[in-house]
Amino acid sequence: MFHIVFYEPRIPPNTGNAIRLSAITGSTLHLVEPLGFDLSDAKLRRAGLDYHDLAHVRVHADLDAALDALADLGVEALYAFTGHATRAFTDVSYSPGDALLFGPEPTGLPDKVLHHPRVTDLLRIPMRPDVRSLNLANAAAVATFEAWRQNGFDGSA
């Protein structure tokens, strides 16, 4: 359905929760190396333990490899999520197969990624100004469910 891309994730439980999100929504989770953990990490496995067999997870050596793989899959839109954007994630019309790109905690996506020519648009999830950021797995869930909602929760029961 959709592609969730974690650029250089560092916190195992967030990625474990994203594995669960992938399974529940039918999305593919793409992990861009280097990872801040080993995929066999106990915390990662605990967070997504019941869902590993149901999730679609792909690991890519770097951003260009991930973007090439997404292009090979026919992905046309790549939305980068950042607190530096002015456009809200709810202002976009998502199509099946779109990719949602998230950066690592606590730094977020670096400028070289935000300004990559393959990035379609920069989006933000509104939050109160006195709070640093939304948890990575929660941000991915909020965005993925909005994209899925716009498409009638296709494939859900």
Side-chain angles (χ1 to χ4, degrees), residues 106-126:
T107 60
L109 293 167
D111 284 342
K112 71 177 184 175
V113 175
L114 293 173
H115 301 295
H116 194 286
R118 289 186 176 171
V119 170
T120 304
D121 204 351
L122 304 180
L123 304 176
R124 72 178 294 121
I125 297 172

Side-chain angles (χ1 to χ4, degrees), residues 48-64:
L49 186 62
D50 298 342
Y51 297 88
H52 279 274
D53 294 340
L54 301 173
H56 303 284
V57 181
R58 296 185 62 182
V59 180
H60 305 280
D62 56 33
L63 181 63
D64 287 330

Side-chain angles (χ1 to χ4, degrees), residues 43-97:
K43 292 176 186 168
L44 175 125
R45 295 200 52 77
R46 193 174 311 118
L49 186 62
D50 298 342
Y51 297 88
H52 279 274
D53 294 340
L54 301 173
H56 303 284
V57 181
R58 296 185 62 182
V59 180
H60 305 280
D62 56 33
L63 181 63
D64 287 330
L67 296 178
D68 288 345
L70 290 169
D72 290 346
L73 293 169
V75 172
E76 295 181 15
L78 173 66
Y79 297 104
F81 286 75
T82 174
H84 303 291
T86 57
R87 190 170 185 198
F89 78 108
T90 52
D91 292 339
V92 172
S93 294
Y94 299 96
S95 298

Side-chain angles (χ1 to χ4, degrees), residues 14 36 48 85 111 146 148:
N14 281 334
D111 284 342
E146 172 61 15
W148 197 25

